[in-house]
């Protein structure tokens, strides 16, 4: 290693995120936004850019943009407008995109993210600035025939169904420093749009697309290094890995005396590296000008008030409330509030009388595992209702059944539902908590294992576990564990 490697570097990272809204119709016409439709069936003269047609703004798009702006604690413009961004590409029938340029609908927001230490699960919070949020229309989609990439294909087909689908573009300040922070930022954005119900936020299907801008500089240096853009990441882990790779690559290049080229790079999932796509000299000149076919947007206070009343409790607020109200750790609060429906389920289980700890454990462990192995299910679709889970937890907490028995009947409850109490009674699974009955069983086990008993009394106290195992075996897991241990202790040491 050369001495240059001793220099400490830091990465400066900003994200540009495109979020596809889930409105029924497109942003400027009444065409459907349905994605399962055959190619070029959700099109009309407006979204195909025929001469003489007039776009009309879908009010739902503006409402969604304002909701997101409020959720990001941004400044909502009282006066805003649309602009034409001119460029030529085969998937853009008008040869311009209607977007927003100098007067975006939202500016100066912020997003609180949580960084979890992977080893200790300790959570630290950080505020990331949001430069702006604006509305725009999506372009169409090119399908390269004969190959899944442009190179190697024989010809390309264009599908205009996506043309005019509404997008929010959200631009962060360059406040992110690591791949983990960037991935967490994108995840928190997804939580927000899902909580607000304005997008499904699905990265694999392209509803949430992130472009990363990244440069490195020696720690202490004020000027930014040369910025590289990375595209093509379709998962949070890909964002993290692409950034980590790129930081290494840039530091290595600087240490070797190479100049960083301003360019766009693609993340290659297969080889786990970024590759150069095209160099980017200066910023493109899109010749923006105000869209003459759409009136400027004037937002009044009453409208803002109306929309702000519809906002649900947001993820960060829910996390703080879970810590304060339920005494959960920051980590558990985070896991339970990640999905809005899981959070509602959890709150319903607690409201039905289960302990917070019990509800949290069952939901984050057994039920989460079940949902993971059944990706088509979500928590609202399982047969085990919050009331039933609360009943099950209470049966354990009252000592009627052991946790082991509860786990045994759980698969049936998840598939078919039913009253845990009735299932336990009809199957004769109620715990044995009669001291005389347990005492007889334990006496028999000790009598059957004289060698083990002798070893125990000679100091091999680890054998207690063996005896507990035998008790559970003899009672098919029905022995009240606390009581059984107590009696066993008396007999072993008495
Ligand atoms: Zn249309």
């Amino acid at each position: 290693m050369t001495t240059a490697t001793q220099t400490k570097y830091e990465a400066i990272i900003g994200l540009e995120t495109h979020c596809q809204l889930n409105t029924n119709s497109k942003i400027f016409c009444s065409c459907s936004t349905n994605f399962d439709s055959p190619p070029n069936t959700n099109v009309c003269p407006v979204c195909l850019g025929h001469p003489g047609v007039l776009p009309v703004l879908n009010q739902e798009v503006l409402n969604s943009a304002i909701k997101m702006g409020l959720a990001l604690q941004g400044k909502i413009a009282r006066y805003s407008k649309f602009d034409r961004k001119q460029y030529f590409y085969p998937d853009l029938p008008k040869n311009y995109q209607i977007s927003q340029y100098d007067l975006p609908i939202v500016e100066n927001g912020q997003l609180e993210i949580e960084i979890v230490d992977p080893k200790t699960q300790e959570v630290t919070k950080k505020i990331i600035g949001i430069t702006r949020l604006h509305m725009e229309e999506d372009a169409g989609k090119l399908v390269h025939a004969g190959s899944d990439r442009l190179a190697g294909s024989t010809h390309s087909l264009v599908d205009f169904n996506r043309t005019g689908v509404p997008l929010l573009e959200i631009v962060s300040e360059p406040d992110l420093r690591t791949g983990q922070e960037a991935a967490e930022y994108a995840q928190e954005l997804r939580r927000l749009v899902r909580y607000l119900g304005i997008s499904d936020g699905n990265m694999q299907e392209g509803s949430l697309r992130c472009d990363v801008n990244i440069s490195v500089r020696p720690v202490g240096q004020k000027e930014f290094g040369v910025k590289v853009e990375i595209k093509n990441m379709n998962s949070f882990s890909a964002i993290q890995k692409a950034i980590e790779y790129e930081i290494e690559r840039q530091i290595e290049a600087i240490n070797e005396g190479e100049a960083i080229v301003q360019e766009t790079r693609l993340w290659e999932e297969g080889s786990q590296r970024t590759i150069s796509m095209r160099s980017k000299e200066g910023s493109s000149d899109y010749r923006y000008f105000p869209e003459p076919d759409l009136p400027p947007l004037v937002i009044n206070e009453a409208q803002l008030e109306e929309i702000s009343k519809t906002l649900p409790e947001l993820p960060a607020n829910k996390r703080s409330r879970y810590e304060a109200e339920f005494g959960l750790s920051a980590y558990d609060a985070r896991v339970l509030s990640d999905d809005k429906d899981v959070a509602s389920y959890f709150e319903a289980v607690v409201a039905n009388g289960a302990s917070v700890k019990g509800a949290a454990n069952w939901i984050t462990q057994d039920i989460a595992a079940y949902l993971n192995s059944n990706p088509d299910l979500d928590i609202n679709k399982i047969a085990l209702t919050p009331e039933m889970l609360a009943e099950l937890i209470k049966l354990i907490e009252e000592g009627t059944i052991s946790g082991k028995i509860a786990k045994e009947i759980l698969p049936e409850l998840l598939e078919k539902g039913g009253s845990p109490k009735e299932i336990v009674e009809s199957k004769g699974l109620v715990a044995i908590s009669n001291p005389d009955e347990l005492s007889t069983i334990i006496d028999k086990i000790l009598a059957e294992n004289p060698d083990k008993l002798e070893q125990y009394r000679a100091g091999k106290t680890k054998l207690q576990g063996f005896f507990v195992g035998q008790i559970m075996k003899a009672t098919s897991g029905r022995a009240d564990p606390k009581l059984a241990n107590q009696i066993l202790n008396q007999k072993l040491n008495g």
Side-chain angles (χ1 to χ4, degrees):
M1 277 202 182
T2 60
T3 48
T5 55
Q6 305 304 316
T7 314
K8 272 205 178 294
Y9 289 91
E10 66 174 349
I12 308 294
I13 305 159
L15 258 66
E16 271 181 34
T17 309
H18 284 91
C19 170
Q20 187 182 289
L21 297 176
N22 60 6
T23 54
N24 293 324
S25 56
K26 293 185 180 180
I27 182 168
F28 299 122
C29 63
S30 56
C31 289
S32 164
T33 52
N34 183 6
F35 276 85
D36 301 327
S37 308
N40 296 309
T41 52
N42 296 333
V43 289
C44 74
V46 175
C47 54
L48 289 177
H50 289 194
V53 295
L54 282 178
V56 176
L57 176 64
N58 178 346
Q59 199 61 34
E60 225 12 70
V61 174
L62 178 62
N63 289 348
S64 300
I66 293 176
K67 277 184 197 173
M68 190 61 176
L70 290 170
L72 291 168
Q73 301 173 51
K75 191 170 140 267
I76 314 292
R78 301 305 193 266
Y79 181 89
S80 178
K81 68 177 169 71
F82 284 100
D83 301 274
R84 287 190 182 178
K85 180 181 181 179
Q86 332 282 332
Y87 67 94
F88 173 79
Y89 203 68
D91 65 5
L92 190 73
K94 294 200 291 271
N95 288 338
Y96 61 83
Q97 177 191 27
I98 304 180
S99 180
Q100 294 198 279
Y101 183 50
D102 54 335
L103 294 175
I105 185 72
V106 180
E107 286 181 285
N108 295 327
Q110 62 173 57
L111 184 65
E112 182 189 279
I113 62 166
E114 292 188 330
I115 320 299
V116 182
D117 184 318
K119 286 196 195 99
T120 62
Q121 296 190 342
E122 204 172 298
V123 175
T124 23
K125 298 179 200 283
K126 181 172 177 179
I127 303 285
I128 306 301
I130 303 291
T131 315
R132 57 182 278 156
L133 173 154
H134 69 252
M135 299 171 275
E136 64 185 26
E137 56 180 344
D138 207 346
K141 205 162 131 186
L142 288 180
V143 182
H144 304 297
S147 166
D148 56 352
R149 296 197 39 199
L150 187 53
S153 64
T154 52
H155 58 286
S156 297
L157 300 161
V158 61
D159 178 3
F160 290 122
N161 280 354
R162 203 175 69 182
T163 309
V165 163
L167 300 176
L168 296 184
E169 181 176 323
I170 302 154
V171 182
S172 84
E173 288 289 300
D175 291 343
L176 300 153
R177 292 291 173 269
T178 65
Q180 194 194 0
E181 286 183 12
E184 178 50 35
Y185 166 85
Q187 255 177 298
E188 186 67 8
L189 276 186
R190 183 176 74 172
R191 277 184 206 110
L192 268 192
V193 298
R194 287 185 170 175
Y195 265 64
L196 293 171
I198 60 173
S199 169
D200 65 22
N202 199 322
M203 280 195 94
Q204 277 77 22
E205 287 160 20
S207 312
L208 198 72
R209 299 165 227 160
C210 296
D211 297 338
V212 169
N213 283 304
I214 174 169
S215 60
V216 298
R217 67 179 173 194
V219 170
Q221 181 182 305
K222 277 221 172 94
E223 305 82 57
F224 290 148
V226 177
K227 180 166 87 174
V228 168
E229 184 183 39
I230 323 173
K231 288 178 178 288
N232 207 33
M233 294 145 295
N234 63 2
S235 70
F236 298 117
S237 78
I239 292 178
Q240 178 164 348
K241 284 186 281 182
I243 290 173
E244 285 167 358
Y245 175 88
E246 191 58 24
I247 293 172
E248 284 294 307
R249 187 191 71 83
Q250 292 186 16
I251 293 174
E252 215 166 284
I254 293 169
N255 285 338
E256 306 269 316
E258 290 167 28
I260 303 291
V261 185
Q262 187 174 347
E263 61 181 348
T264 299
R265 299 178 71 87
L266 290 181
W267 171 245
E268 269 198 346
E269 190 63 47
S271 61
Q272 298 278 297
R273 64 195 179 110
T274 64
I275 53 159
S276 181
M277 183 170 94
R278 56 165 182 257
S279 72
K280 219 179 174 182
E281 283 153 20
S283 59
S284 314
D285 188 351
Y286 292 114
R287 305 273 164 158
Y288 282 97
F289 69 79
E291 167 60 56
D293 289 340
L294 285 162
L297 299 164
V298 178
I299 318 290
N300 62 43
E301 303 309 312
Q303 205 176 342
L304 274 187
E305 181 118 333
E306 215 36 57
I307 295 174
S308 67
K309 272 192 232 156
T310 68
L311 292 190
E313 180 182 40
L314 297 171
N317 301 47
K318 206 182 267 295
R319 291 193 294 258
S320 321
R321 180 167 67 83
Y322 279 11
E323 287 180 55
E325 188 178 323
F326 298 127
L328 287 167
S329 68
Y331 183 80
D332 286 344
R334 177 184 159 82
V335 173
L336 286 163
S337 63
D338 182 48
D339 180 292
K340 195 169 138 188
D341 293 334
V342 171
S344 308
Y345 189 96
F346 162 71
E347 290 184 38
V349 175
V350 174
N352 276 281
S355 69
V356 167
K357 193 166 181 279
N361 285 345
W362 281 89
I363 293 170
T364 58
Q365 292 164 24
D366 298 80
I367 295 182
Y370 177 70
L371 290 172
N372 274 340
S373 56
N374 294 278
D376 295 336
L377 275 181
D378 61 56
I379 200 156
N380 289 331
K381 289 192 195 131
I382 57 176
L384 180 73
T385 63
E387 293 77 15
M388 295 169 192
L389 179 59
E391 190 178 306
L392 182 71
I393 295 170
K394 281 187 282 179
L395 288 174
I396 308 164
E397 286 170 356
E398 288 158 2
T400 310
I401 57 171
S402 62
K404 188 170 174 283
I405 294 290
K407 281 193 200 287
E408 272 175 39
I409 62 170
L410 186 70
E412 180 184 340
L413 283 166
L414 285 166
E415 297 289 338
K416 293 185 227 154
S419 158
K421 204 167 174 202
E422 281 166 22
I423 294 175
V424 162
E425 278 164 7
S426 71
K427 293 192 170 173
L429 298 173
V430 174
I432 303 170
S433 46
N434 178 329
D436 295 337
E437 197 177 336
L438 283 176
S439 190
T440 314
I441 295 165
I442 293 169
D443 282 339
K444 187 162 171 270
I445 290 167
L446 296 180
E448 279 166 2
N449 297 281
D451 49 334
K452 296 270 188 336
L453 182 59
E454 200 176 313
Q455 287 170 28
Y456 178 90
R457 290 192 170 140
K460 206 172 169 188
T461 52
K462 267 197 211 152
L463 281 168
Q464 172 138 4
F466 163 79
F467 290 115
V468 172
Q470 292 300 306
I471 298 168
M472 287 304 169
K473 203 172 154 195
T475 59
S476 315
R478 287 167 54 227
D480 176 329
K482 210 173 146 197
L483 188 60
N485 258 308
Q486 224 172 22
I487 298 171
L488 177 66
N489 259 328
Q490 281 165 8
K491 292 188 191 289
L492 287 174
N493 304 315

